[in-house]
Amino acid sequence: MGDHFQVRDRFASGAQFVDGRARHGGSGRTQTVVNPATGEELLTYPTAGPDDVDDAVAAAHAAFPGWAGATPATRSDALHRFAEILADQAPDFAYAESLQCGKPIKLSTEFDVPGTLDNTAFFAGAARRLEGASAGEYSGDHTSYVRREPIGVVGSVAPWNYPLQMAAWKILPAIAAGNTIVLKPAEITPLTSLMFARAAQEAGLPDGVINIVAGTGPGAGEHLVGHPDVAMVSFTGSTAVGRRVAGIAAAGAKRLHLELGGKAPFVVFDDADLEAAVHGAVAASLINGGQDCTAATRAYVQRPLYDAFVSGVADLMGTVRLGDPFDPATDLGPLVSHAHRDRVAGFVERARGHARVVTGGEAPGGDWSDGAYYRPTLVTGAAQDSEIVQSEIFGPVLTVLPFDTDDEGIRLANDTPYGLAASAWTRDVYRAGRATREIAAGCVWVNDHIPIISEMPHGGFGASGFGKDMSAYSFEEYTQVKHVMYDNTAVVRKDWHRTVFGDRHRP
Ligand code: NAD
C-alpha cells in the first residue's frame, strides 16, 4: 500500500476541482503540504483565489437545477455507486490521510475511511427518505402539505483534523438533499477532499455538483462564504473563525451551520469502574493526537477515585507508542504541523507556573525530532478558571481535577463556554440519568467517550456552534421547508375576505 501513491503526479493537473475538472489555483500564491512526521514537502500547489471561487460557485449554480430536480432514486443510485468506488480506493484514502495529517495508519484505516464509507452508504439510503410533515385538511377548507426543498449552492469550509470525514460530513447530506456544493478544505490538508470529489465524478455524479477550492481562509474562504450565489454556509473549525464566518454569512442573510470547537469534560463518579475510566480517558484524550473536537480534555474525578485515576492514567500514557504513522504498531503519530505542535506546547509551558505536569509535556527527541511530535501529557492541579482548563488545546493533553459532590462535578463539567461533547462514568443509573440531562453538550456518553455513528447527530451547544452533521437531522440544515396550501372549496368569495371588504362582503 502507498508505494504507488505519488502525490505530485496525482495532483500535477492542479489542486482545485471545479466543474468536474482539475485545475491550478489562480491566487498567485502557493501552499506546501508537508508530511508532519518527517517535515518532508509533499506538494506545493497554487492556491485558489477569488476567480477560482467564482468559477466553482458558477458551476455549482449551473448544476443545481438538474441535481435538485433529479429523483431521490437517481441521487441515491449515484451515492451508492460513489460508496462502491470509495470502498475500492479505501487503501489510497487511508494512506493519503495519514500522509498529510500524520495520523496512525491504523486510525485512518479503522476509523476515518470506514466512517466515510458508512456515511456515504447512509446518505445513499437517506436520500430516499426525505419527508415532510403529514398532509391534511388543517383549516377544513384547504389541504396543506410540506415540501422539503434543497437550498441551492452550499459554501462549506472544513478543518484539517479529519479532512476526509469533514469533507464527507459537509458534502454528503448537502448533495443527498439535492443541493450542490463548493468546499474549501484546510489549505494544509487538501489531498483527500480532492480525491473524494474525483471519486464522486467517477461514480457519475454530474460535473458541478461537488467543487473543491483549496486555498487559505482569507484568500478563498471569505470570498466563498460571502459570495452572493452561495445560499447557505456550513463551517467546521475553531470558534474564533466561526464567529468571523458567521458575521459574513449574516451580512448576506444566509442560512448558517456552525460546528465549532470543544472542550469535552469526562466526569468520573466514585462508583465508576476505575479501569474502564482510565482506559477510556487515555484513549479519548489521545485519539488523533487529541486533535478531535470531542476528545476528552478535562477529567473531573470524584475524590475517592482521584489518586488512583491520576496514577492509572499516567501509567497507561507511558505505554503509548509514538512513532512512524505507517507502522501498524504506532499509537500516536505527530500533530498536524510543527506550528500546531508549538501552539500545544505553549499551553503546557504557560500552565507550569501554577499546575503540575505529571507526565509528558515535551516533544520527543531522537528519531522523532524532525516530526511534529508531542508526548501524551497529563496535567493536574490547574485552577478551573485557568487557560489550560478553559481553552481548546487540540493536542494530546488531559487535565484532571477532583470534585466532591455530584452537584460540583456537573457544575464544573458545564463551566466552559463550549458544549460539544461530554461523558459520565458511573454504574448508578440515576447519576447517569442526571448527568445526561444536566450536562449541556450536543452528545453525552455514559461509560464511553468518542464513538459516533452515521444514524445519530453530531453538533454542539453554546460556543461549539449549532446545527447537526450526520444522521437525518442534518437534512434540517440542508433543506428548507415549504408549506403548500390548496383551496378545496372552489368558493369565489371566501369567508375571510370579510376582513378586507367588511359590509360589502357577499358570500
Ligand atoms: P480553523 O478555524 O483555523 O480553520 C478551519 C477552516 O477555516 C480552514 O479551512 C481555514 O482555512 C478556514 N478559515 C480560516 N480563516 C478563515 C476566514 N477568515 N474565512 C473563512 N474561512 C477561514 O480550524 P482548524 O485549526 O483548521 O481546525 C481545528 C478546529 O476545528 C478546532 O477548533 C476544532 O474543535 C474544530 N472542529 C470542530 C468540529 C465539530 O464538529 N464541531 C469538528 C472538527 C474540528
Side-chain angles (χ1 to χ4, degrees):
M1 181 170 54
D3 291 345
H4 64 286
F5 194 99
Q6 300 297 331
V7 175
R8 288 191 181 84
D9 293 350
R10 281 218 182 200
F11 299 99
S13 51
Q16 315 296 330
F17 191 78
V18 174
D19 203 13
R21 277 177 294 281
R23 66 188 237 183
H24 295 288
S27 69
R29 293 166 186 257
T30 57
Q31 171 73 41
T32 299
V33 181
V34 173
N35 176 350
T38 59
E40 176 203 356
E41 295 186 0
L42 298 170
L43 177 74
T44 295
Y45 69 93
T47 53
D51 290 349
D52 302 300
V53 172
D54 288 347
D55 290 351
V57 172
H61 199 253
F64 177 68
W67 185 243
T71 63
T74 300
R75 292 200 292 263
S76 172
D77 286 349
L79 287 168
H80 278 300
R81 284 195 299 279
F82 188 18
E84 285 167 16
I85 288 184
L86 291 172
D88 290 345
Q89 299 177 5
D92 278 359
F93 274 99
Y95 181 84
E97 198 72 329
S98 282
L99 193 64
Q100 65 178 351
C101 301
K103 59 180 82 198
I105 192 71
K106 70 184 173 199
L107 179 66
S108 39
T109 306
E110 294 176 28
F111 184 69
D112 300 66
V113 173
T116 297
L117 293 179
D118 192 62
N119 257 272
T120 312
F122 173 81
F123 281 108
R128 300 185 77 159
R129 285 193 46 86
L130 261 177
E131 289 174 353
S134 59
E137 286 66 49
Y138 300 99
S139 79
D141 287 344
H142 308 82
T143 295
S144 284
Y145 62 84
V146 162
R147 291 169 56 85
R148 260 192 192 280
E149 298 186 351
I151 295 171
V153 177
V154 177
S156 263
V157 176
W160 46 254
N161 61 333
Y162 292 107
L164 174 62
Q165 292 204 84
M166 294 303 103
W169 288 12
K170 299 284 155 215
I171 290 171
L172 293 167
I175 67 170
N179 303 282
T180 56
I181 190 163
V182 179
L183 175 97
K184 192 200 84 62
E187 58 272 30
I188 59 172
T189 55
L191 306 184
T192 47
S193 308
L194 289 162
M195 291 164 62
F196 193 70
R198 290 178 182 184
Q201 186 185 42
E202 279 181 53
L205 269 92
D207 291 349
V209 171
I210 302 174
N211 307 274
I212 308 289
V213 288
T216 62
E222 291 198 13
H223 193 67
L224 174 62
V225 299
H227 197 292
D229 286 338
V230 166
M232 173 183 168
V233 171
S234 119
F235 173 83
T236 298
S238 62
T239 300
V241 176
R243 289 194 171 116
R244 184 169 175 82
V245 164
I248 298 170
K254 295 175 196 286
R255 175 80 76 100
L256 179 63
H257 172 199
L258 292 177
E259 296 284 0
L260 307 179
K263 188 75 186 174
F266 185 104
V267 184
V268 184
F269 293 95
D270 58 13
D271 65 311
D273 180 327
L274 181 66
E275 191 185 350
V278 165
H279 277 78
V282 173
S285 60
L286 299 186
I287 185 167
N288 206 37
Q291 303 161 117
D292 181 312
C293 50
T294 64
T297 61
R298 301 176 285 140
Y300 297 103
V301 183
Q302 212 154 17
R303 194 83 58 180
L305 294 189
Y306 177 78
D307 288 341
F309 181 87
V310 169
S311 62
V313 167
D315 289 349
L316 195 56
M317 279 185 169
T319 68
V320 167
R321 292 166 299 198
L322 250 78
D324 172 4
F326 291 101
D327 180 343
T330 291
D331 301 324
L332 188 65
L335 301 186
V336 76
S337 68
H338 292 73
H340 185 60
R341 190 268 311 274
D342 295 347
R343 187 174 168 273
V344 168
F347 280 102
V348 177
E349 290 314 307
R350 290 191 293 279
R352 282 187 198 278
H354 60 88
R356 178 168 170 245
V357 178
V358 179
T359 186
E362 60 179 7
D367 288 353
W368 313 118
S369 49
D370 288 342
Y373 289 88
Y374 197 71
R375 287 200 189 283
T377 299
L378 176 62
V379 176
T380 58
Q384 172 64 21
D385 62 358
S386 62
E387 180 195 51
I388 201 157
V389 176
Q390 292 289 322
S391 301
E392 187 178 41
I393 300 171
F394 228 53
V397 179
L398 178 68
T399 60
V400 187
L401 292 176
F403 69 92
D404 291 304
T405 63
D406 290 17
D407 285 354
E408 186 189 6
I410 288 176
R411 182 179 60 74
L412 291 169
N414 283 332
D415 181 32
T416 74
Y418 296 109
L420 188 59
S423 62
W425 296 75
T426 173
R427 286 182 271 210
D428 179 331
V429 69
Y430 295 104
R431 273 177 156 166
R434 181 178 175 199
T436 59
R437 287 191 303 278
E438 295 187 13
I439 295 179
C443 173
V444 182
W445 291 280
V446 176
N447 296 329
D448 207 344
H449 192 121
I450 285 297
I452 47 173
I453 40 173
S454 299
E455 287 83 352
M456 287 290 134
H458 167 89
F461 293 4
S464 295
F466 49 81
K468 299 297 174 192
D469 281 322
M470 304 205 296
S471 81
Y473 288 92
S474 61
F475 286 142
E476 305 288 337
E477 320 302 327
Y478 293 102
T479 56
Q480 48 198 351
V481 165
K482 180 185 282 175
H483 171 206
V484 179
M485 202 172 195
Y486 275 77
D487 169 58
N488 290 335
T489 63
V491 168
V492 175
R493 298 174 187 207
K494 320 255 193 239
D495 230 19
W496 71 266
H497 292 178
R498 195 190 320 276
T499 60
V500 175
F501 302 121
D503 292 349
R504 288 171 292 124
H505 183 65
R506 299 276 178 276

